[in-house]
Amino acid sequence: MKATRQNPAEWEESASLLPQPERDLPAGRNQFHKERLMARIQQDESTTVVSPARPKIRKARLLRPAFTLPAMALTLAGAVAVGSVLIDGDGGSAGVATGPALTTSLGSSTTEGVPQLLDQISLAAAESTHPVVKPGQYVYIASKTANTFVKTVDGKSALASHILHQRQIWESPDGTKGWLVDPAVNSSPEGETLSLPDERGNTPKAHLGSPSYDYLSKLTTDPDALLAKIYKETKGQGNSPDQQAFATIGDLVVESYAPAELNSALFKAAAKIPGVVVVNDARDAIGRRGVAVARLDETSGAREEWIFDKKSHAFLGVRTVQVKKVTEYGVVMKPGTVRFTSAITQRAIVDGMKQTPARNG
């Protein structure tokens, strides 16, 4: 999705400096992680980590906040939300250290120029060439990510954030085989399998909330039909139909590898969602400055931002920033608090599980 053509098989969005919202996990792995989490809760109840933005579960994807009380689970593969409470004996999450809550300056938003910007982004996406992922190959995506949560130790609660850390994910075209390396999910440097069937022998089908490359390749590229499908299949989710539609499109462009035509259609569809704005100055997790397409969730007071390079319109990353002051779990979350941030640093097609582009072939 870039104006300056670049082979996505070696998408390396350059890096700069700094530290998203949680959505879904692979269907069958939810129960497995829930059971593992409950076992940990029984082992240690001295330190509580509460995700302020209820993580939803999308495939094995990003640990991002969701902002709704319904059981929308946690983020991509691994982290699990049970009543929004995560327990860890050392006060952290798996192998990620914690620090002060992430903050940023709030860029001003405007509705002016939204259609024009999304049209430019859509054109850039359409011009990029995406090699077909062949059977036996894997989509590889590397990112830097961090999230903010409520941490309670010895009865005292305060906001904290995981430090910015690297995340790597591999997925087969049909979505049945995969691997995740993310210390916020699993402290082992080797990571964990995302391959199906799951621990109960189930092989869930891909869907909008948990898409595979093959699934995305078959979606309509008509913006109106695509948006209608998104509204229909996410009915009852999120804090409002419009916000959920925006969040769903955001998920599809963050940690997926979709055909260029679909990426283009997704951005055209986003332009039709009420409440979408432009934030002219935004930074991704590693500090790259760009322009953001965003939408404010009136219920949570948080704004989800998709960040693009101002010149090439290449997608850089996504973050969720608190815009309105709220109190969650007894802790005040001030405007400027970064609930979640993620920067895509590399997106490629590789020939084997756990291979990286440098070692491909």
Side-chain angles (χ1 to χ4, degrees):
M1 29 180 131
K2 316 171 177 27
T4 55
R5 301 197 179 192
Q6 198 174 347
N7 187 338
E10 297 186 339
W11 264 351
E12 266 190 2
E13 262 110 71
S14 61
S16 296
L17 292 157
L18 184 117
Q20 175 171 51
E22 291 158 331
R23 282 195 226 295
D24 282 343
L25 224 163
R29 294 189 65 74
N30 183 23
Q31 182 61 34
F32 166 71
H33 288 293
K34 178 178 178 180
E35 293 173 351
R36 188 168 69 177
L37 175 63
M38 293 309 294
R40 293 176 68 184
I41 290 175
Q42 293 174 356
Q43 292 173 7
D44 190 336
E45 297 184 345
S46 61
T47 302
T48 305
V49 178
V50 183
S51 170
R54 178 79 185 256
K56 279 199 268 179
I57 290 185
R58 209 183 30 148
K59 233 165 162 192
R61 295 203 159 62
L62 296 164
L63 201 82
R64 322 201 306 151
F67 316 120
T68 50
L69 227 54
M72 305 289 297
L74 219 107
T75 109
L76 293 233
V80 177
V82 178
S84 291
V85 178
L86 304 181
I87 306 296
D88 197 310
D90 62 4
S93 175
V96 183
T98 63
L102 300 172
T103 60
T104 187
S105 57
L106 283 176
S108 59
S109 64
T110 177
T111 56
E112 293 183 14
V114 172
Q116 293 85 348
L117 176 60
L118 279 167
D119 186 56
Q120 292 173 325
I121 292 170
S122 178
L123 287 173
E127 289 179 1
S128 64
T129 42
H130 289 209
V132 174
V133 187
K134 301 174 182 179
Q137 292 186 314
Y138 291 83
V139 172
Y140 168 79
I141 300 174
S143 60
K144 291 292 184 70
T145 184
N147 68 298
T148 296
F149 51 89
V150 175
K151 181 177 180 180
T152 300
V153 180
D154 297 330
K156 296 181 180 180
S157 299
L159 286 180
S161 293
H162 291 131
I163 63 168
L164 189 66
H165 58 278
Q166 177 163 291
R167 172 185 171 85
Q168 296 173 289
I169 188 169
W170 290 259
E171 186 177 67
S172 62
D174 62 4
T176 63
K177 295 180 181 179
W179 194 265
L180 175 72
V181 177
D182 186 341
V185 174
N186 189 319
S187 58
S188 169
E190 296 299 318
E192 65 178 322
T193 182
L194 301 177
S195 297
L196 300 173
D198 61 21
E199 292 74 11
R200 294 177 176 272
N202 301 315
T203 303
K205 293 183 179 180
H207 55 85
L208 276 177
S210 182
S212 65
Y213 171 80
D214 290 346
Y215 173 85
L216 293 173
S217 298
K218 296 175 183 177
L219 285 180
T220 178
T221 55
D222 176 87
D224 292 313
L226 183 59
L227 187 59
K229 177 181 177 66
I230 291 171
Y231 273 106
K232 180 180 179 180
E233 296 193 13
T234 61
K235 184 177 181 180
Q237 299 177 22
N239 289 328
S240 73
D242 292 334
Q243 186 63 31
Q244 186 59 34
F246 185 81
T248 298
I249 292 175
D251 281 349
L252 292 176
V253 302
V254 175
E255 203 171 63
S256 296
Y257 183 84
E261 296 81 4
L262 179 61
N263 274 332
S264 179
L266 285 168
F267 295 127
K268 289 180 179 179
K272 300 174 183 291
I273 299 174
V276 176
V277 299
V278 171
V279 179
N280 287 312
D281 188 17
R283 289 177 179 254
D284 71 3
I286 55 177
R288 295 175 296 192
R289 179 164 284 175
V291 60
V293 174
R295 193 177 193 285
L296 175 65
D297 185 332
E298 295 291 348
T299 301
S300 68
R303 186 171 70 196
E304 179 167 340
E305 302 175 349
W306 309 339
I307 305 169
F308 301 85
D309 183 271
K310 288 186 177 182
K311 293 183 179 180
S312 69
H313 298 112
F315 177 75
L316 300 179
V318 62
R319 70 178 182 180
T320 300
V321 181
Q322 196 66 31
V323 173
K324 298 180 179 179
K325 180 179 177 180
V326 296
T327 300
E328 296 187 358
Y329 303 99
V331 176
V332 174
M333 187 173 293
K334 299 178 181 179
T337 300
V338 179
R339 285 180 174 256
F340 174 90
T341 183
S342 176
I344 300 298
T345 56
Q346 194 168 39
R347 204 186 303 248
I349 297 173
V350 295
D351 293 328
M353 185 93 79
K354 303 184 191 179
Q355 282 189 358
T356 58
R359 296 168 51 202
N360 193 23

